């Protein structure tokens, strides 16, 4: 009779949870095996034991949809939101190369639609309470009303977080920093990638 190593139990469960919260997706058996450095055959045996003991769930015979109690609770009331680092010029905010990691957020804080976190850089929005390093929750959409804080891709390929205004007199778009020491940015057109909804900051 094979001995069930309880330390290995914990290692596998922790790996499953870490992989899920890193990617926002249920990990494959190969990803779990790589994480715990275990041959697939041995891992399958342990997954079977974990399932017998009620510590994980997955589809019969396919090892798909492997979930733990933590993942199940997260999926019921939370949504993984990607954190976007420095946005490469001219690329969409949610291009795969821009995503650093994910944060699971309660769906009670989110309305309908798609969201991402942008890590603020610099001091251009400090008077709106957005400091360097803060996480800004952005709702993806391609339009904005005057006065909303937006993620805008400008005509020169730069992505910026600013307050949005249409200047009908100049027939330009005014991107206004929330810093009295900085001047507005005037552009003929820009692509709205989303609007700011909330800010998460360290105290």
């Amino acid at each position: 009779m094979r001995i069930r190593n309880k330390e290995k139990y914990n290692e596998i469960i922790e790996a499953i949870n870490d992989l899920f919260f890193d990617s926002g997706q249920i990990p494959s058996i190969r990803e779990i095996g790589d994480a715990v450095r275990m041959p697939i055959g041995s891992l399958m045996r342990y997954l079977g034991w974990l399932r017998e003991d009620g510590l994980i769930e997955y589809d019969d015979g396919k090892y798909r949809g492997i979930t733990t109690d933590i993942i199940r609770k997260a999926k019921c009331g939370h949504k993984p939101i990607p954190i976007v680092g420095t946005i490469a010029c001219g690329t969409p905010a949610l291009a795969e190369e821009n995503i650093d990691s994910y944060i699971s957020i309660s769906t009670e804080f989110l309305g309908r639609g798609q969201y991402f976190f942008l890590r603020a850089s610099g001091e251009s929005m400090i008077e709106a309470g957005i400091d360097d390093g803060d996480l800004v929750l952005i709702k993806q959409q391609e339009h904005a009303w005057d006065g909303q804080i937006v993620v805008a891709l400008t005509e020169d390929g730069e992505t910026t977080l600013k307050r949005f205004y249409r200047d009908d007199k100049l027939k330009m778009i005014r991107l206004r920093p929330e810093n009295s020491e900085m001047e507005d940015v005037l552009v003929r057109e820009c692509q709205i990638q989303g609007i700011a909804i909330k800010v998460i900051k360290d105290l």
Side-chain angles (χ1 to χ4, degrees), residues 39-57:
I40 295 300
S42 298
L43 176 59
M44 290 169 65
R45 184 168 58 251
Y46 265 94
L47 292 175
W49 289 339
L50 286 164
R51 189 186 187 201
E52 285 178 13
D53 291 345
L55 298 174
I56 65 171
E57 297 177 357

Side-chain angles (χ1 to χ4, degrees), residues 123-131 163 177-181:
E123 300 182 344
S124 67
M125 299 300 290
I126 56 175
E127 291 170 15
I130 302 174
D131 297 311
R163 201 173 288 279
E178 286 290 342
N179 184 329
S180 54
E181 296 182 359

Side-chain angles (χ1 to χ4, degrees), residues 38-101:
M38 181 183 288
I40 295 300
S42 298
L43 176 59
M44 290 169 65
R45 184 168 58 251
Y46 265 94
L47 292 175
W49 289 339
L50 286 164
R51 189 186 187 201
E52 285 178 13
D53 291 345
L55 298 174
I56 65 171
E57 297 177 357
Y58 57 81
D59 294 341
D60 282 329
K62 297 181 180 179
Y63 298 95
R64 292 178 181 170
I66 299 173
T67 57
T68 65
D69 284 342
I70 290 176
I71 292 174
R72 188 165 53 253
K73 290 175 182 176
K75 289 180 69 179
C76 287
H78 291 74
K79 183 176 181 178
I81 307 297
I83 300 176
V84 176
T86 302
I87 301 175
C89 295
T91 63
L94 287 184
E96 187 65 31
E97 63 267 24
N98 293 330
I99 297 175
D100 290 341
S101 59

Side-chain angles (χ1 to χ4, degrees), residues 116 138-143 149-152 192-196:
F116 63 92
I138 306 295
K139 182 179 181 181
Q140 271 189 278
Q141 61 183 56
E142 297 179 353
H143 62 276
I149 295 175
V150 304
V151 178
I192 304 298
Q193 298 192 328
I195 60 171

